[in-house]
Amino acid sequence: DGGITQSPKYLFRKEGQNVTLSCEQNLNHDAMYWYRQDPGQGLRLIYYSQIVNDFQKGDIAEGYSVSREKKESFPLTVTSAQKNPTAFYLCASSSTRNTEAFFGQGTRLTVV
Amino acid sequence: AQSVSQHNHHVILSEAASLELGCNYSYGGTVNLFWYVQYPGQHLQLLLKYFSGDPLVKGIKGFEAEFIKSKFSFNLRKPSVQWSDTAEYFCAVGHTGRRALTFGSGTRLQVQP
């Protein structure tokens, strides 16, 4: 089955720790994205990548980092610099920019 | 600032009632328009999309949306909702000046049996 796989589904982090969220796609899409979803705020763009080895900051990139070493993979690291990391994180991909995006199941991160 | 606005944050309807959810955007020029749905515990999935052509777009599960260029709107409609339509609905806009889809804040729809 083609799709986007995010792991883990739930993640707990202690304050001061970095954590990495996994995102893998087998749709052969060039573009991949990370969004953050908070209640009442919709989805906000953290980072995006249009091709391998290239990525750009989105609207709320502070405290996050990404890499794109393979077409299929776009991991997101939530660093200790992110002041309010508790949220639902969604990874998506699309064949080209601004076309239909396909989403993973999401990772719910909680800071304890 | 350029944005996507969904004015209805929480809508409660009875089964068989008609639904209309508003979506307005502030981008000029050519846009691609989308409605996504997020059922409880599930991933976001596409309901329908508009790129060009007939401004009345039909999607899955009986949903439709109308693009009105002069009003910068792309409202979602369904003539008769079902309990299974309970979900959160997001409008999204793709624009050549943006790097990725921009989403509205979402509308939570609760359908009472």
Side-chain angles (χ1 to χ4, degrees), chain A residues 4-82:
Chain A
I4 299 178
T5 302
Q6 288 187 243
S7 62
K9 192 172 181 181
Y10 299 97
L11 186 57
F12 296 89
R13 189 196 92 172
K14 291 183 181 178
E15 284 197 25
Q17 285 183 335
N18 294 354
V19 289
T20 298
L21 283 58
S22 171
C23 178
E24 303 276 333
Q25 57 103 354
N26 60 5
L27 299 168
N28 200 33
H29 285 165
D30 286 315
M32 295 189 74
Y33 314 88
W34 275 103
Y35 286 92
R36 171 179 169 143
Q37 184 179 4
D38 295 284
Q41 296 194 54
L43 279 68
R44 293 180 291 166
L45 183 67
I46 304 172
Y47 266 98
Y48 72 102
S49 169
Q50 292 186 7
I51 55 172
V52 174
N53 292 322
D54 182 65
F55 49 83
Q56 304 295 330
K57 292 182 179 180
D59 300 313
I60 56 164
E62 186 175 349
Y64 300 99
S65 65
V66 294
S67 62
R68 186 89 188 273
E69 296 176 4
K70 299 186 299 182
K71 187 175 185 177
E72 302 80 17
S73 179
F74 192 40
L76 173 75
T77 297
V78 184
T79 75
S80 56
Q82 170 46 236

Side-chain angles (χ1 to χ4, degrees), chain A residues 35 37 48 57 59 98 101, chain B residues 36 38 95 98-99 101:
Chain A
Y35 286 92
Q37 184 179 4
Y48 72 102
K57 292 182 179 180
D59 300 313
N98 288 325
Chain B
Y36 282 85
Q38 189 176 36
H95 180 260
R98 289 284 296 175
R99 305 146 292 184
L101 299 186

Side-chain angles (χ1 to χ4, degrees), chain B residues 44-58:
Chain B
L44 262 83
Q45 34 187 300
L46 185 71
L47 268 181
L48 48 78
K49 60 188 176 186
Y50 173 80
F51 287 179
S52 64
D54 188 343
L56 185 61
V57 180
K58 294 199 184 298

Side-chain angles (χ1 to χ4, degrees), chain B residues 88-100:
Chain B
E88 191 154 19
Y89 293 80
F90 294 92
C91 179
V93 177
H95 180 260
T96 52
R98 289 284 296 175
R99 305 146 292 184

Side-chain angles (χ1 to χ4, degrees), chain B residues 9 13 15 21-22 43 60 64 68 82 85 88 97 105 111:
Chain B
H9 298 295
L13 296 173
E15 276 194 311
L21 301 182
H43 64 281
I60 61 171
E64 64 179 31
I68 302 179
Q82 301 172 320
D85 293 323
E88 191 154 19
S105 56
V111 179

Side-chain angles (χ1 to χ4, degrees), chain B residues 16-106:
Chain B
S18 64
L19 170 73
E20 181 158 3
L21 301 182
C23 174
N24 289 90
Y25 61 92
S26 60
Y27 302 103
T30 303
V31 292
N32 295 334
L33 300 164
F34 307 83
W35 275 98
Y36 282 85
V37 61
Q38 189 176 36
Y39 297 105
Q42 296 189 28
H43 64 281
L44 262 83
Q45 34 187 300
L46 185 71
L47 268 181
L48 48 78
K49 60 188 176 186
Y50 173 80
F51 287 179
S52 64
D54 188 343
L56 185 61
V57 180
K58 294 199 184 298
I60 61 171
K61 305 189 181 187
F63 286 91
E64 64 179 31
E66 185 176 14
F67 170 52
I68 302 179
K69 189 174 181 179
S70 60
K71 294 186 178 179
F72 296 88
S73 71
F74 190 55
N75 292 355
L76 181 71
R77 300 195 293 244
K78 185 170 185 178
S80 175
V81 295
Q82 301 172 320
W83 177 79
S84 58
D85 293 323
T86 294
E88 191 154 19
Y89 293 80
F90 294 92
C91 179
V93 177
H95 180 260
T96 52
R98 289 284 296 175
R99 305 146 292 184
L101 299 186
T102 301
F103 284 80
S105 56

